[in-house]
Amino acid sequence: QLQLQESGPGLVKPSETLSLTCTVSGGSVRSSSYAWGWIRQPPGKGLEWIGNIFYSGSNYYNPSLKSRVTISVDTSENQFSLRLNSVTAADTAVYFCAGRNSGSGRTDHWGQGTLVTVSS
Amino acid sequence: QSALTQPASVSGSPGQSITISCTGTSSDVGGYNYVSWYQQHPGNAPKLMIYDVNNRPSGVPDRFSGSKSGNTASLTISGLQPEDEADYYCNSYTTSSTWVFGGGTKVTVL
């Protein structure tokens, strides 16, 4: 059973870079069966798709975040990561990592989510 | 990309049926059969309820069903149960090879 777990700092200062890691267990980030992605949810608000990456290296990002986002895969640690530059208070949110069946909209593997607060 | 449009809230009594709509454009909902629905209880991660318009993962009760007509997708809950009270989000693939969520619908069981 595929399991995902987010990790990273819970507090980031404005203008700095938010960095989160998602550790995958019960499966491999090298699998072509999945697209690995990040979704966020500001407190009390809805879900926002951030982007995803395939093991092949192809990645796709939300146009509204594209200039600040990088998603990468670390096969040696069986992890994938999110970097979001130049953060502001508007980036305060619960960040979820997720695995989607490639070639489908089926995203049934989610991490529990981690709250990241942007504040000085 | 603009969020898909969902009603802010829908309510029903136990045993009733409710339907949540999700309206997009021909560049997302109308253009692909990659619409999924997620249920989220407070403090929890979203849970997949329907994928690819009308497919139900194993373990999801068959009172949940999905459909699509034109640029609007729908989630129907037949025989509403108290545990169905939650937030529901639709999600669709887009022509830009990206994905977009709806704004979410709060379902209240009266």
Side-chain angles (χ1 to χ4, degrees), chain A residues 39 41 45-49 52 60-64 96 100 103-108 110-113, chain B residues 1 34 36 38 40 43-48 51-52 57-58 89 91 96-103:
Chain A
I39 297 99
Q41 185 171 35
K45 297 188 178 181
L47 300 171
E48 180 180 32
W49 183 80
N52 61 222
Y60 301 91
Y61 300 127
N62 186 323
S64 68
F96 297 98
R100 174 174 60 78
S104 163
R106 182 174 184 163
T107 304
D108 48 4
W110 294 72
Q112 64 185 26
Chain B
Q1 59 193 22
Y34 291 143
S36 50
Y38 299 87
Q40 188 181 34
N44 289 352
K47 175 186 176 183
L48 178 69
Y51 68 96
D52 298 351
S58 60
Y89 295 90
N91 180 242
S96 303
S97 299
T98 61
W99 297 79
V100 61
F101 281 97

Side-chain angles (χ1 to χ4, degrees), chain A residues 5-83:
Chain A
Q5 178 67 58
E6 306 90 351
S7 59
L11 181 64
V12 181
K13 290 182 168 57
S15 80
E16 295 191 345
T17 297
L18 179 160
S19 295
L20 294 175
T21 296
C22 183
T23 300
V24 178
S25 58
S28 173
V29 292
R30 300 182 186 190
S31 173
S32 60
S33 299
Y34 293 100
W36 308 105
W38 292 91
I39 297 99
R40 71 180 183 179
Q41 185 171 35
K45 297 188 178 181
L47 300 171
E48 180 180 32
W49 183 80
I50 298 173
N52 61 222
I53 188 169
F54 294 85
Y55 175 63
S56 64
S58 300
N59 49 38
Y60 301 91
Y61 300 127
N62 186 323
S64 68
L65 300 171
K66 189 173 184 177
S67 64
R68 299 194 291 132
V69 174
T70 302
I71 297 176
S72 58
V73 169
D74 182 346
T75 57
S76 65
E77 298 290 341
N78 211 37
Q79 298 173 334
F80 61 100
S81 299
L82 169 71
R83 287 175 58 88

Side-chain angles (χ1 to χ4, degrees), chain A residues 84-95:
Chain A
L84 181 65
N85 302 327
S86 305
V87 298
T88 69
D91 295 310
T92 294
V94 175
Y95 285 76

Side-chain angles (χ1 to χ4, degrees), chain B residues 29 31 43 47 58 66 70 78-79 85:
Chain B
V29 174
K47 175 186 176 183
S58 60
S78 305
E85 184 162 296

